[in-house]
Amino acid sequence: MSLSDEMNNHALDVVILTEDRYLKLDTSEWYEAQIATEDGLVAQALAARGLTVGRVSWSDPAFCWRDTRAALFRSTWDYFHRFAEFSPWLDAAATQTRLLNPAELVRWNLDKRYLRDLSRAGVSVVPTRYADVGEQHTLAAIMDAEGWDEVVFKPVVSGAARLTYRVGRDTLEAHEAVFARCLAAEAMMVQRFEPAVLGEGELSLIVIEGRTTHAIRKTAAAGDFRVQDDHGGTVHAHQPRAEERAFAEAAIAACPSLPLYARVDFVRAGDGGFRLMELELVEPELFFRFHPPAADALADALAQRLKSGD
């Protein structure tokens, strides 16, 4: 089948994936206005390359995924709340259209135990312990075994700082019951707390087809440790240094396959190096509003993948 024949068999070249809450955006509200800006930059860049573009909720029961050549994850930020629905949808949609990032890479990245794979591949990762659902662990035992005085715990499938807690020795007793309740319901991870989060903050480098396009720095609000802007954190423009680019691109090179897009979140370590916090391949905010040319880079890479069939 020729490329033109393939295009004629689809109503759209690309659909930008969102969730029900954000299908119709209220741009008078700052958070939704940001989504509109980000998705708008991507849609404009794709359209400028002659691609027909739509915007659809991943959970829309009426949409036929065969009607688009590709579906691009952007603001599907309810997937971890609706994982029992999202997981089978991911498998089904992948048989009907090209998902970007691909389903197998998304599946790998959904469970934060992927950090263990990256660590084994030589990427410097924040020291982490994992606990499977139903296992009997206490925070005190984990902290004692690892020699940690301050930790953060959260689910292995999560986002937006859901069920994320910072715990020190002085607050350990108050958090043991919370940790036990979480672990009874889902697998959890415990990470050594990185003090750099409260100082320099967290760096996020955006990588398109293996190459860094731009970066931002996220800092937490006073009295908090969560850097997300919906928790009061602040986002700053950042000019990535050569060593930061190298770290981010090495983390991407350690993935099972090359992502179309990624956001690499990391902090500076006390020894002057870096430690990976998370590698976001599913639906990361990519902060195109700080560097609009990156939306063009994404559109170019996506168009090339459609053309080549990769």
Side-chain angles (χ1 to χ4, degrees):
M1 180 182 292
S2 70
L3 180 61
S4 60
D5 288 338
E6 183 187 352
M7 292 179 64
N8 290 336
N9 286 339
H10 299 276
L12 294 166
D13 291 314
V14 183
V15 294
I16 295 172
L17 292 174
T18 186
E19 58 166 282
D20 293 344
R21 285 180 300 174
Y22 302 129
L23 190 57
K24 294 182 179 180
L25 295 167
D26 178 3
T27 55
S28 67
E29 197 277 325
W30 72 270
Y31 192 74
E32 295 191 22
Q34 282 187 177
I35 298 171
T37 297
E38 296 284 324
D39 284 0
L41 287 168
V42 173
Q44 291 163 20
L46 291 168
R49 283 146 183 83
L51 299 171
T52 55
V53 185
R55 192 167 177 273
V56 180
S57 173
W58 69 268
S59 57
D60 184 348
F63 189 79
C64 177
W65 299 102
R66 290 188 178 87
D67 286 344
T68 183
R69 297 172 64 204
L72 179 68
F73 289 96
R74 292 310 319 124
S75 50
T76 54
W77 294 332
D78 62 346
Y79 78 85
F80 44 84
H81 295 300
R82 303 174 63 185
F83 195 70
E85 300 168 67
F86 181 82
S87 183
W89 171 83
L90 181 66
D91 292 338
T95 67
Q96 301 174 61
T97 190
R98 178 182 285 115
L99 297 178
L100 296 168
N101 282 315
E104 60 272 15
L105 200 54
V106 167
R107 181 73 67 184
W108 175 76
N109 190 238
L110 284 172
D111 188 315
K112 298 184 195 303
R113 281 172 283 204
Y114 71 81
L115 290 170
R116 188 160 47 194
D117 297 336
L118 294 178
S119 180
R120 290 169 178 164
V123 178
S124 176
V125 174
V126 173
T128 306
R129 281 278 302 272
Y130 302 94
D132 287 330
V133 60
E135 290 184 347
Q136 299 299 310
H137 295 282
T138 65
L139 287 172
I142 292 173
M143 292 169 71
D144 288 344
E146 300 293 340
W148 299 339
D149 290 323
E150 194 168 13
V151 298
V152 171
F153 72 83
K154 56 188 172 183
V156 298
V157 178
S158 189
R162 179 180 76 89
L163 296 177
T164 299
Y165 298 89
R166 176 185 172 193
V167 183
R169 293 285 180 179
D170 58 336
T171 60
L172 181 55
E173 183 177 353
H175 283 92
E176 285 286 17
V178 178
F179 182 69
R181 285 197 301 272
C182 291
L183 189 54
E186 55 189 312
M188 302 294 291
M189 60 195 292
V190 182
Q191 293 184 305
R192 186 180 70 191
F193 181 70
E194 295 293 326
V197 170
L198 301 181
E200 180 181 2
E202 183 176 288
L203 294 176
S204 291
L205 268 63
I206 289 73
V207 181
I208 307 296
E209 288 285 44
R211 299 189 65 179
T212 301
T213 57
H214 63 295
I216 54 99
R217 182 169 59 89
K218 296 174 285 187
T219 56
D224 207 330
F225 69 99
R226 297 168 298 181
V227 297
Q228 295 88 349
D229 55 8
D230 45 339
H231 290 289
T234 306
V235 180
H236 314 266
H238 177 77
Q239 183 62 42
R241 301 170 183 169
E243 62 269 25
E244 295 165 353
R245 290 173 177 266
F247 180 82
E249 291 169 14
I252 296 304
C255 290
S257 61
L258 180 66
L260 171 66
Y261 60 85
R263 197 185 75 215
V264 186
D265 297 339
F266 59 97
V267 294
R268 190 173 298 279
D271 61 5
F274 304 106
R275 290 196 181 94
L276 182 70
M277 300 284 281
E278 292 195 21
L279 182 62
E280 300 279 5
L281 307 181
V282 183
E283 33 57 300
E285 186 173 6
L286 296 177
F287 299 98
F288 292 123
R289 62 189 182 276
F290 283 83
H291 187 67
D296 293 305
L298 178 64
D300 283 337
L302 192 156
Q304 182 58 40
R305 289 202 180 196
L306 287 180
K307 182 178 180 180
S308 65
D310 291 343

